[in-house]
Amino acid sequence: MRTVSVVIGTRPEAIKMAPVIRALQAHPGLDPVVISTGQHRQMLDETLDAFGLAADIDLQVMAPRQTLSQVTARILNGLEARLPGLGADALLVHGDTATTLAGALAGFHHGVPVVHVEAGLRSGELSSPFPEEGNRRLVGQISALHLAPTPANRANLLCEGIPDETIVVTGNTVIDALRWAGEHAVEYGDPALRDLDEDPRRIVLASAHRRDAWPQLAEIAAAFRRIADEPCTRVVIPLHRNPAVRQAILPVVAGHPDITVTDPLPYLSFMKLLKRADLIVSDSSGAQEEGPALGKPTLVLSEVTERSEAVVAGTAKLVGKTTERIVAATLELLRDPVAYDRMAGAANPYGDGRAARRTVDAVACFLGLGDRPEPFVPETPVDQFAAELARSADYERHAPQPTL
């Protein structure tokens, strides 16, 4: 039996790793140990509970108003005290958070091979999103196994000199989670949304919370308010708990009769809201994957994205952070059925619901317990997605064209 440590700390990590943890538990040769850093305290526990899971170890690192450096240091110290006694054969981290970076560093320092789930995402700009882009690039340099969701993510890794034999294209585990949640979501989780199923208005699911968006949050909130002025339109904002986000957005949107503000919703409730929504306006990384998977046109509040596949496919669009651009793009979809249907009908490039199985098979193969899994291939022609991020002169000079 091989021991696999799984380090998670945020709600998105819990969502995307829950199917992986379940698949690890079902594997006869693998024994997962789930370590929670507690980076998102309440939301993490709620999400794991929704999947019928719980952490084996809780580092409880959160303290009020910690800096990124402080929380990273506390996670490292917590793992320093727990990792040596686990005898882990591999350590899984996900994505690009402080938990991801600290978990990978701790594994690297202790000689435990690091497996990076959701590897290879790149925006091309170190400051956007911040600090996520820097975190995932750093983790990529010390990982032993890179589990890339898409062929384009694999191309990014090849461009950076990562050996092809250490990369497996798995699909994104968020699609596995989404399919499971669709069968279990029964309520919206907030009294303010109780009437949503009977509401004839078009529902715009709106959110903004990323650190690189903080200087523009008031302008983004003004866009949400103007969108709500559109006839027969209701804007629902599950508002992030961060005080900086709340202080910027709440004063702008408060009191509008067609804006509903809630606290962050439990995962299953949020999935029900996502299915009810007509379109999404958000800077959330998860929304850029979940929206396209559900056929929901998704407007991304950024100038760049690490998830370019949905933009190339046509189901997502970059609209920046200015009020005018956000409003113009949203109203076009609300007023033009042809434009709306064009985005709603675009293909989902992110997964087929079997990413967790491929992830665990790849880990088992890495540990000598099975064969390398067949890679995920999107239903749409994959060369357009890979080419989008693999055309740089550096890539063409130093790496062969990937076989997709």
Side-chain angles (χ1 to χ4, degrees):
M1 185 74 71
R2 301 298 186 94
T3 300
V4 178
S5 296
V6 182
V7 181
I8 56 176
T10 68
R11 169 172 156 150
E13 289 167 330
I15 291 169
K16 294 183 176 184
M17 290 297 276
V20 175
I21 294 168
R22 285 184 153 195
L24 285 168
Q25 291 173 338
H27 194 285
L30 300 174
D31 179 25
V33 177
V34 180
I35 303 174
S36 165
T37 67
Q39 187 177 341
H40 285 176
R41 174 74 282 153
Q42 181 180 349
M43 292 188 290
L44 176 72
D45 292 342
E46 287 177 348
T47 304
L48 286 176
D49 185 64
F51 283 93
L53 299 170
D56 300 298
I57 297 171
D58 190 343
L59 301 183
Q60 301 184 32
V61 303
M62 287 311 292
R65 297 188 179 277
Q66 289 185 112
T67 66
L68 288 172
S69 297
Q70 288 169 337
V71 70
T72 302
R74 292 195 70 189
I75 294 170
L76 277 169
N77 286 335
L79 291 171
E80 175 72 24
R82 305 306 294 265
L83 272 184
L86 295 179
D89 298 288
L91 184 148
L92 272 64
V93 294
H94 180 281
D96 47 31
T97 68
T99 289
T100 311
L101 178 60
L105 279 172
F108 181 69
H109 290 165
H110 287 275
V112 181
V114 175
V115 179
H116 190 192
V117 181
E118 200 178 82
L121 279 69
R122 299 291 185 270
S123 73
E125 292 188 14
L126 192 58
S127 62
S128 184
F130 177 86
E132 290 86 354
E133 178 77 1
N135 288 344
R136 55 183 169 241
R137 291 194 200 183
L138 291 168
V139 172
Q141 297 305 306
I142 57 175
S143 296
L145 179 62
H146 309 260
L147 303 182
T150 71
N153 302 147
R154 172 177 174 267
N156 286 336
L157 294 167
L158 291 173
C159 182
E160 294 173 357
I162 302 299
D164 193 18
E165 62 270 19
T166 68
I167 306 169
V168 177
V169 178
T170 60
N172 199 305
T173 60
V174 74
I175 307 301
D176 301 41
L178 185 63
R179 293 189 176 188
W180 180 87
E183 300 173 0
H184 294 81
V186 295
E187 58 184 27
Y188 290 111
D190 191 294
L193 303 177
R194 190 179 295 119
D195 65 334
L196 209 56
D197 287 334
E198 291 75 40
D199 193 332
R201 291 172 290 183
R202 292 157 309 173
I203 305 302
V204 177
L205 173 56
S207 67
H209 71 277
R210 285 187 178 270
R211 287 177 181 267
D212 54 291
W214 283 8
Q216 290 84 34
L217 282 177
E219 193 166 357
I220 291 170
F224 295 166
R225 190 176 184 93
R226 282 180 52 186
I227 291 165
D229 289 336
E230 181 73 1
C232 198
T233 299
R234 177 179 179 181
V235 176
V236 178
I237 307 173
L239 195 59
H240 200 280
R241 296 186 188 278
N242 192 297
V245 175
R246 291 180 167 249
Q247 291 164 14
I249 292 179
L250 271 177
V252 181
V253 302
H256 195 293
D258 293 307
I259 293 180
T260 304
V261 178
T262 73
D263 284 334
L265 298 172
Y267 175 61
L268 292 179
S269 298
F270 183 76
M271 287 301 102
K272 186 173 177 63
L273 172 60
L274 196 65
K275 291 176 70 176
R276 170 64 182 87
D278 293 282
L279 65 94
I280 301 163
V281 183
S282 178
D283 63 1
S284 165
S285 59
Q288 295 180 55
E289 298 156 343
E290 293 158 344
L294 292 172
K296 309 293 182 179
T298 303
L299 301 180
V300 183
L301 302 177
S302 180
E303 300 289 350
V304 297
T305 181
E306 64 275 30
R307 292 166 169 84
S308 68
E309 293 89 345
V311 176
V312 175
T315 193
K317 181 179 181 180
L318 299 173
V319 297
K321 304 181 185 75
T322 65
T323 302
E324 295 303 324
R325 283 186 62 190
I326 297 168
V327 171
T330 306
L331 295 188
E332 179 187 14
L333 294 176
L334 291 174
R335 295 173 178 176
D336 184 348
V338 174
Y340 181 92
D341 291 343
R342 187 184 306 118
M343 289 191 72
N348 163 38
Y350 289 121
D352 57 6
R354 297 193 292 273
R357 180 73 267 160
R358 291 190 192 91
T359 296
V360 171
D361 287 348
V363 172
C365 176
F366 178 79
L367 295 175
L369 299 178
D371 296 328
R372 184 181 177 94
E374 290 297 319
F376 162 66
V377 178
E379 295 177 0
T380 53
V382 296
D383 55 337
Q384 62 178 323
F385 304 118
E388 186 71 12
L389 293 178
R391 283 199 188 114
S392 72
D394 183 67
Y395 174 77
E396 291 172 355
R397 251 196 329 270
H398 298 296
Q401 184 67 24
T403 302
L404 303 176

